[in-house]
Amino acid sequence: MIGCLCIHGYTGGPYEVQPLVDYLEQRTNWMFEVPTLPGHGRKLDLKGRYYQEWIATAELAFLKLAKTCDVVYVIGFSMGGMIAAYLASKYKVDRLVLLSAAGKYISVPQMYKDITDFVAEALKGTLTDNDLFLHYQDKLKQTPFPSSIEFVKLIRFTRPFLKEVQAPVLIIQGQQDEMVPDKAAIYLEQEIPSTDKQLVFMKESKHLICHGKDREELFETVMSFLTR
C-alpha cells in the first residue's frame, strides 16, 4: 500500500493542495492524509497557536500512514514544504515533493508588481474584482502578529534539517510567486544533499501553485515523479 501525506501552508488549509490531491486520487489507489494544521482552514483561529503544534499534527498524520503503508510519499506546499522536508530528515520518506516551499521569503520584486497592480486597479475602481487582493486582504484580517512570529520560528527550526534529506526530491516553484522568490527553490536544491533531485519552474504560476495557470503541467510532473 502506498500512502501520501499532503501538507498545506501558513494561514491556508487543505484547499490549497486539494486540486493536486483530487488529481492523484482519481489515478491511483493510494491512501491520503491531508491534515488541517491547528488554527488553520477556511476560517482562521491562529491566536495562541505555536509552530510546534503545526509540526506535530503533520507528524502524527505521517505516522498514521506509516503504520499501514509500505511506501509513503510526502508533499508539502509553502510552509508545509518545510515541514515535509523536516519529516523526510527524520523518517523514511520514499519521495518528497516541495511546492513553493518557504525556505526563503518574501519575493520583493513580485510583491512590488502586485502592489502596483492593486494601486492601478484601485484607481480604476476595479480592485474589489481582484481575487488575489481579496484573498490576502482576508488573510491579513484573520492573522495575529504573534502567529507570524511562529511562522518565522518554524522556518528557522526546519532549515537545518534540509541537509539531512536523502529521499528523492522534486522541487517546483512558480515564477510569478508573490510570496516566495525563485531563489528559495535554488536554495532548497543546494541545501538538500539527496543525489536524486529535480527542480522545475512553472512560468505562469503564483504562490497558490496548485490553483495556477500551469496546474495541469504541475499535476503531470508530480504524478510522473511519484510513479516513475
Side-chain angles (χ1 to χ4, degrees), residues 5 7 14 18 26 28 38 64 105 153 161-162 174 180 197 219:
L5 170 64
I7 311 169
Q18 198 59 50
Q26 291 166 10
T28 69
K64 180 180 178 181
Y105 49 84
K153 287 180 180 178
F161 292 95
L162 292 171
V180 177
K197 292 182 285 191
F219 300 160

Side-chain angles (χ1 to χ4, degrees), residues 52-188:
Q52 294 94 334
E53 297 178 74
W54 304 335
I55 293 175
T57 298
E59 190 165 359
L60 287 172
F62 174 85
L63 293 173
K64 180 180 178 181
L65 282 176
K67 281 184 180 179
T68 55
C69 298
D70 304 312
V71 173
V72 180
Y73 304 142
V74 180
I75 300 172
F77 165 71
S78 194
M79 181 184 77
M82 297 305 290
I83 297 175
Y86 167 75
L87 294 176
S89 76
K90 188 174 180 180
Y91 299 102
K92 179 183 177 294
V93 168
D94 293 273
R95 293 190 188 277
L96 174 66
V97 178
L98 304 178
L99 305 174
S100 308
K104 288 184 180 289
Y105 49 84
I106 297 282
S107 178
V108 175
Q110 184 61 42
M111 183 174 66
Y112 177 80
K113 180 181 181 299
D114 288 334
I115 290 173
T116 302
D117 291 343
F118 291 161
V119 171
E121 291 187 34
L123 292 173
K124 291 189 294 184
T126 59
L127 187 56
T128 54
D129 297 327
N130 187 304
D131 291 337
L132 179 65
F133 171 77
L134 295 175
H135 175 77
Y136 287 113
Q137 182 187 50
D138 187 53
K139 295 284 187 186
L140 286 171
K141 288 179 180 178
Q142 297 184 59
T143 307
F145 181 73
S147 179
S148 296
I149 298 298
E150 292 302 310
F151 164 74
V152 173
K153 287 180 180 178
L154 185 144
I155 302 305
R156 289 178 177 173
F157 171 78
T158 54
R159 271 182 187 160
F161 292 95
L162 292 171
K163 293 183 180 295
E164 299 178 26
V165 175
Q166 300 295 334
V169 58
L170 171 63
I171 303 165
I172 303 183
Q173 176 68 36
Q175 290 190 302
Q176 307 299 321
D177 195 323
E178 69 282 1
M179 297 300 294
V180 177
D182 285 0
K183 65 182 179 181
I186 297 170
Y187 166 78
L188 292 170

Side-chain angles (χ1 to χ4, degrees), residues 6-9 11-23 34 42 77-78 99-100 131-132 135-136 139 172-174 176-178 202-219 222:
C6 298
I7 311 169
H8 66 76
T11 72
Y15 64 87
E16 292 179 317
V17 294
Q18 198 59 50
L20 174 59
V21 173
D22 292 341
Y23 180 92
V34 192
R42 290 287 184 182
F77 165 71
S78 194
L99 305 174
S100 308
D131 291 337
L132 179 65
H135 175 77
Y136 287 113
K139 295 284 187 186
I172 303 183
Q173 176 68 36
Q176 307 299 321
D177 195 323
E178 69 282 1
M202 296 289 164
K203 293 182 180 180
E204 300 298 325
S205 292
K206 289 182 175 289
H207 190 56
L208 289 172
I209 198 165
C210 291
H211 297 260
K213 294 179 181 178
D214 303 310
R215 58 184 174 274
E216 290 301 324
E217 180 184 353
L218 168 73
F219 300 160
V222 172

